[in-house]
Amino acid sequence: MNEASHHVVVVGAGFGGLELTHALAGAPVRITMIDKRNHHLFQPLLYQVATTSLATSEVAWPIRRLLRKRKNVTTLLGNVTGVDRTGKRVLLEDGSAVAFDTLVLATGARHAYFGHDEWEPFAPGLKTLEDATTIRRRILLAFEQAERETDAARRQALLTLVIVGGGPTGVELAGTIAELAHDTLRDEFRNIDTRQTRVVLIEAGDRVLSNFAPQLSAYAQKALERLGVTVELGQAVTQLDADGVVFGDKRLPAKTILWAAGVAASPAAEWLGTTADRAGRVLVEPDLTVPGSPEIFVIGDTAHVLRPDGKPVPGVAPSAKQEGRHVAATIKARLAGDMTARPFRYQHAGDLATIGKRAAAIDFGWIKLTGWLAWWLWGIAHIYFLIGFRNRLAVSLSWLWIYFTGQRSARLITQGDDDKG
């Protein structure tokens, strides 16, 4: 390889893409970072933007700002539409192309509706800042519309909020929305009692937080129920529209429905013309390369990677960061003349989920924690991984204010008209 001119193209400035770029510091490479948005998003706290706890600027940072000191890194705002594997080019929506010597696809995932994409307008998922502000708007507008509604049945539908999916995102959304309705907003309306708001969490499986130990799932369910959340287990949603949901043999009228039940990978497998799993994730080699193209790596939510126990590597930030570091080490080794395949070994960092402002569940395998201590550890861990002192301070102060007062300051209805809102 010509070390001085080796060009690494990274598509996606999420956890995996940024970690890889940072880990290549000092390597004799040129790097081009391509993303369709101009910011890096701290997705683990995105639900707090959706539920009025944090502002958008507290969970996202301009990519150019993050990479400003890396003179060998060029950042491009662009939408990738394909990959020319033979010509070694990344194809962009505007008709241009970027040549590469090594390509790393870290393009993340979106929410999936299990073959019912027609549900998306009525039940938005939560993967981007736009998703978060849309959800926040719908939640707040539901209360505003209920305040003016004189029909009791229509008012109750407005005050019924449904979350589909009992994983960490669904649990965190349900707990925070319940606190928002039953605590934060309770004295702010005159014609409705927000404490009568019904928050319903629907999970097709037999327990919430199915990736956690059973005792932690049981704790999370009880914590949700203490907050006033109705937890419906073992019943998949079979119908969903602007007026409510059908699960089991019941129809529940609800004007606000949020989707947290599944994800699908970006179209990276289609770009590459390679095999993918049912969620669209690329079936990569053990070293995270694409079969037949050792110069192309796929990491993060876009990749289907197996752990030593045969289970898929979870689509969480720590795994994406580990994969980014692994690929960076492989690129450095290749530049030094070592072409040996380097299988990726995932180190599980544990599972964390918060339930409202005073409870959480943490499963490190060797130790399991619940309650307020788990909540504080959850908070410390997330603050540690935030970028920059200003953001750590701002989020810490916001959380402390919410913890002691119950008030959330980011209750702003923004964006234009939403005919489903």
Side-chain angles (χ1 to χ4, degrees):
M1 294 182 181
N2 183 341
E3 296 181 354
S5 62
H6 191 82
H7 187 204
V8 178
V9 174
V10 183
V11 181
F15 289 106
L18 273 188
E19 188 71 16
L20 169 116
T21 303
H22 290 314
L24 284 176
V29 296
R30 293 182 298 116
I31 302 173
T32 298
M33 169 71 76
I34 305 174
D35 200 293
K36 62 183 178 181
R37 292 180 172 84
N38 79 330
H39 55 266
H40 167 72
L41 176 63
F42 191 79
Q43 279 195 345
L45 293 181
L46 191 57
Y47 82 95
Q48 297 212 353
V49 175
T51 54
T52 77
S53 297
L54 296 176
T56 55
S57 60
E58 293 171 334
V59 299
W61 307 270
I63 299 167
R64 294 186 181 279
R65 176 67 179 173
L66 298 177
L67 299 175
R68 67 192 183 283
K69 295 182 180 179
R70 296 289 302 281
K71 302 304 181 184
N72 66 327
V73 178
T74 299
T75 301
L76 300 180
L77 182 68
N79 190 24
V80 173
T81 57
V83 175
D84 176 4
R85 292 172 67 173
T86 303
K88 298 177 69 172
R89 299 182 307 152
V90 175
L91 310 178
L92 301 180
E93 189 175 44
D94 62 5
S96 64
V98 180
F100 63 84
D101 296 305
T102 296
L103 172 63
V104 183
L105 296 176
T107 44
R110 287 288 292 170
H111 33 271
Y113 293 84
F114 308 118
H116 291 281
D117 291 346
E118 70 275 11
W119 292 351
E120 183 171 10
F122 311 111
L126 185 59
K127 286 294 181 183
T128 68
L129 282 180
E130 293 87 351
D131 294 336
T133 52
T134 295
I135 288 173
R136 181 180 68 192
R137 182 174 187 272
R138 292 192 183 193
I139 292 171
L140 295 176
L141 277 178
F143 293 105
E144 296 294 341
Q145 292 165 356
E147 175 79 348
R148 300 177 59 185
E149 181 58 64
T150 57
D151 181 85
R154 288 198 292 267
R155 185 189 308 120
Q156 186 55 59
L158 287 164
L159 292 177
T160 300
L161 295 94
V162 175
I163 300 94
V164 182
T169 298
V171 167
E172 290 169 342
L173 278 171
T176 308
I177 291 172
E179 288 184 336
L180 174 69
H182 301 157
D183 187 9
T184 305
L185 299 178
R186 64 182 177 185
D187 297 323
E188 298 189 3
F189 292 84
R190 299 296 174 262
N191 298 323
I192 60 172
D193 181 354
T194 61
R195 291 172 295 182
Q196 301 302 313
T197 300
R198 188 179 182 196
V199 181
V200 182
L201 178 65
I202 303 173
E203 166 56 40
D206 59 0
R207 59 190 177 100
V208 299
L209 301 180
S210 60
N211 289 336
F212 287 60
Q215 63 266 37
L216 296 184
S217 295
Y219 167 82
Q221 180 175 343
K222 290 179 181 177
L224 286 170
E225 291 169 347
R226 282 196 298 270
L227 292 174
V229 176
T230 300
V231 179
E232 299 280 0
L233 299 175
Q235 302 177 89
V237 170
T238 56
Q239 186 178 332
L240 190 155
D241 55 37
D243 296 315
V245 297
V246 175
F247 59 99
D249 58 354
K250 296 178 286 186
R251 177 170 181 84
L252 177 63
K255 288 295 187 178
T256 303
I257 306 166
L258 309 179
W259 189 263
V263 297
S266 74
E270 298 175 20
W271 300 342
L272 297 167
T274 192
T275 307
D277 65 9
R278 290 190 300 174
R281 295 172 297 191
V282 176
L283 299 178
V284 295
E285 300 286 4
D287 63 353
L288 305 180
T289 60
V290 174
S293 296
E295 73 282 2
I296 302 178
F297 296 85
V298 182
I299 63 175
D301 291 340
T302 317
H304 178 94
V305 190
L306 295 180
R307 301 191 296 192
D309 61 5
K311 296 180 180 179
V313 171
V316 294
S319 61
K321 292 166 75 83
Q322 289 180 36
E323 290 166 10
R325 289 193 295 270
H326 175 85
V327 172
T330 298
I331 293 172
K332 290 178 180 178
R334 290 181 179 181
L335 290 170
D338 181 2
M339 305 302 291
T340 305
R342 299 163 45 86
F344 172 69
R345 295 285 183 264
Y346 172 65
Q347 300 294 322
H348 189 50
D351 295 308
L352 302 87
T354 182
I355 308 105
K357 65 180 182 181
R358 289 188 176 89
I362 296 178
D363 189 350
F364 289 130
W366 56 278
I367 187 172
K368 297 170 176 60
L369 297 172
T370 59
W372 68 269
L373 177 59
W375 187 89
W376 281 100
L377 289 175
W378 173 92
I380 291 169
H382 283 72
I383 288 171
Y384 173 79
F385 284 110
L386 288 170
I387 298 174
F389 174 77
R390 175 190 173 278
N391 294 90
R392 293 189 182 107
L393 179 62
V395 171
S396 299
L397 291 175
S398 293
W399 284 351
L400 287 172
W401 183 255
I402 293 169
Y403 186 86
F404 288 112
T405 70
Q407 293 302 305
R408 292 168 167 81
S409 59
R411 302 201 309 276
L412 306 178
I413 299 175
T414 59
Q415 299 180 308
D417 291 339
D418 182 348
D419 59 359
K420 300 297 187 298

